[in-house]
């Protein structure tokens, strides 16, 4: 087993020892495979596995925070208040009000951010893109807060806000920023164009997630899925709305392919989301 593989194994074991709300399969197979499919072709080859390791930290942070926001059984707004104060390279005083299991979860998040920062420091474009990554993580926090709010005040749910905030739960823009940190041909002048492609990719990833996790979320009592919100607030048909989502999916793929970007291959990036969709389908009912 390679050095990075050992680190990934250790990271997963540490996470599961503290938070076992999600299946091990998610961390050992789905997330690494999904990140591999959607990693930019411009990432320096010698850093590729390290990039996957870095993005696994990101996926764990999102997973950890997500359950405290939208899972009726594990919702914990008090803990999230402290978790939202964390970010890459941002220290926060240890909250004295947290004890027991809550403190362990907080300490896990702190450890994930600290370890992620150490990994990113080895990437050539880290320093210049770190402010963007912090912003991307804050965007996920806004999404998570919206999920909290929908749990506290269900009548606030509406399709427009769900489509606006929901995709940030994927963290795909943040993942793309990490890729650029480790890329060999990144042109800073193209950063805006790159992020436009990442935002489209984030919507693609969200679409796959919406379709293939709907039944699990229904069984958990999670009412934040966009498909369900459409069904309940606009009386739409599930199958019809999913068909609309897939039509949008195809259009976004073409939008990415049409981008004129030299920092990475847009067509390769688009193909990665087709593979991610297939990956989601293969894990239906498992994650």
């Amino acid at each position: 087993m390679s050095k990075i593989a050992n680190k990934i194994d250790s990271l997963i074991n540490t996470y599961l020892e503290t938070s076992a709300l999600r299946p091990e399969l998610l961390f050992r197979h789905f997330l690494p495979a999904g990140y591999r499919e959607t990693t930019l072709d411009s990432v320096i080859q010698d850093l590729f596995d390290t990039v996957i390791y870095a993005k696994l930290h990101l996926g764990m942070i999102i997973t950890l925070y997500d359950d405290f926001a939208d899972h009726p059984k594990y919702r914990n707004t008090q803990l999230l208040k402290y978790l939202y104060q964390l970010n890459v390279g941002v220290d926060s005083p240890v909250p004295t009000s947290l004890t027991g299991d809550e403190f362990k979860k907080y300490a896990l998040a702190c450890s994930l951010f600290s370890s992620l920062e150490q990994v990113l420091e080895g990437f050539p474009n880290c320093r210049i893109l770190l402010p963007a990554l912090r912003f991307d993580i804050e965007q996920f926090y806004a999404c998570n807060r919206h999920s909290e709010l929908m749990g506290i005040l269900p009548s606030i749910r509406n399709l427009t806000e769900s489509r606006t905030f929901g995709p940030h739960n994927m963290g795909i823009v943040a993942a793309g920023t990490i890729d650029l940190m480790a890329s060999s041909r990144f042109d800073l002048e193209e950063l805006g164009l790159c992020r436009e492609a990442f935002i489209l990719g984030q919507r693609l990833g969200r679409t796959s997630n919406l379709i293939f996790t709907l039944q699990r979320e229904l069984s958990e009592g999670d009412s934040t899925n966009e498909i369900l919100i459409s069904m309940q607030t606009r009386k739409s048909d599930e199958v019809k709305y999913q068909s609309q989502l897939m039509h949008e999916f195809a259009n976004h793929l073409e939008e990415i392919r049409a981008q004129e970007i030299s920092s990475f291959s847009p067509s390769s990036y688009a193909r990665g989301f087709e593979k991610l969709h297939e990956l989601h389908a293969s894990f239906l009912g498992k994650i």
Side-chain angles (χ1 to χ4, degrees):
M1 185 178 287
S2 69
K3 185 177 180 181
I4 289 295
N6 281 325
K7 286 185 175 182
I8 289 175
D9 185 63
S10 177
L11 179 66
I12 293 171
N13 289 338
T14 298
Y15 184 95
L16 292 174
E17 285 170 5
T18 304
S19 180
L21 302 182
R22 299 291 186 97
E24 187 172 345
L25 190 70
L26 173 67
F27 305 105
R28 294 203 183 276
H29 299 285
F30 179 81
L31 284 176
Y35 287 136
R36 287 181 182 278
E37 295 291 8
T38 54
T39 293
L40 302 181
D41 68 329
S42 59
V43 165
I44 298 168
Q45 193 59 41
D46 288 347
L47 293 177
F48 186 88
D49 288 339
T50 307
V51 164
I52 304 305
Y53 177 54
K55 291 196 285 192
L56 185 57
H57 287 75
L58 176 68
M60 287 178 167
I61 290 166
I62 290 173
T63 303
L64 182 68
Y65 285 48
D66 176 77
D67 282 329
F68 295 141
D70 62 19
H71 196 302
K73 185 177 179 180
Y74 303 113
R75 187 175 295 125
N76 192 326
T77 56
Q78 178 69 10
L79 177 56
L80 282 171
K81 179 178 71 173
Y82 295 111
L83 291 174
Y84 291 144
Q85 296 175 24
L86 304 175
N87 208 317
V88 183
V90 177
D91 294 324
S92 180
V94 177
T96 57
S97 62
L98 296 181
T99 59
D101 188 61
E102 283 187 335
F103 181 79
K104 290 179 181 178
K105 298 292 197 304
Y106 178 83
L108 173 62
C110 290
S111 175
L112 287 169
F113 273 114
S114 176
S115 177
L116 175 58
E117 181 184 11
Q118 291 176 18
V119 176
L120 296 178
E121 286 175 348
F123 296 165
N125 305 316
C126 172
R127 185 179 296 264
I128 195 168
L129 290 173
L130 194 56
L133 180 60
R134 290 186 184 126
F135 174 79
D136 297 337
I137 290 172
E138 291 290 345
Q139 294 289 83
F140 160 65
Y141 288 174
C143 164
N144 221 51
R145 286 189 172 101
H146 183 239
S147 292
E148 284 185 82
L149 186 58
M150 286 190 285
I152 296 168
L153 190 62
S155 61
I156 203 172
R157 293 181 306 147
N158 66 85
L159 190 57
T160 301
E161 279 189 305
S162 180
R163 289 176 61 88
T164 299
F165 289 102
H168 292 291
N169 180 263
M170 300 293 97
I172 287 172
V173 177
T177 302
I178 291 174
D179 286 352
L180 291 179
M181 287 181 173
S183 290
S184 59
R185 61 178 192 267
F186 168 54
D187 180 355
L188 183 59
E189 295 301 315
E190 288 190 337
L191 181 57
L193 288 175
C194 292
R195 290 178 66 82
E196 286 186 357
F198 298 161
I199 289 167
L200 290 169
Q202 187 159 257
R203 181 59 184 169
L204 291 171
R206 177 64 171 172
T207 298
S208 302
N209 177 266
L210 288 169
I211 291 172
F212 294 112
T213 64
L214 176 62
Q215 295 308 314
R216 172 181 63 78
E217 291 172 347
L218 284 172
S219 69
E220 294 174 349
D222 180 350
S223 59
T224 61
N225 189 295
E226 180 185 312
I227 298 171
L228 182 61
I229 291 173
S230 176
M231 292 167 61
Q232 293 181 344
T233 65
R234 298 195 179 183
K235 310 302 180 185
S236 65
D237 175 81
E238 176 185 340
V239 174
K240 182 178 180 180
Y241 192 74
Q242 289 193 21
S243 177
Q244 292 173 353
L245 285 174
M246 289 311 300
H247 179 70
E248 177 190 295
F249 189 94
N251 287 339
H252 284 341
L253 285 174
E254 291 308 311
E255 287 182 73
I256 292 175
R257 292 189 181 105
Q259 295 276 356
E260 295 184 2
I261 299 173
S262 61
S263 294
F264 61 87
S265 167
S267 61
S268 176
Y269 190 57
R271 176 57 182 150
F273 286 99
E274 291 179 311
K275 292 181 178 179
L276 180 62
H277 190 77
E278 294 167 4
L279 183 69
H280 268 284
S282 70
F283 276 80
L284 179 62
K286 299 176 183 178
I287 59 171

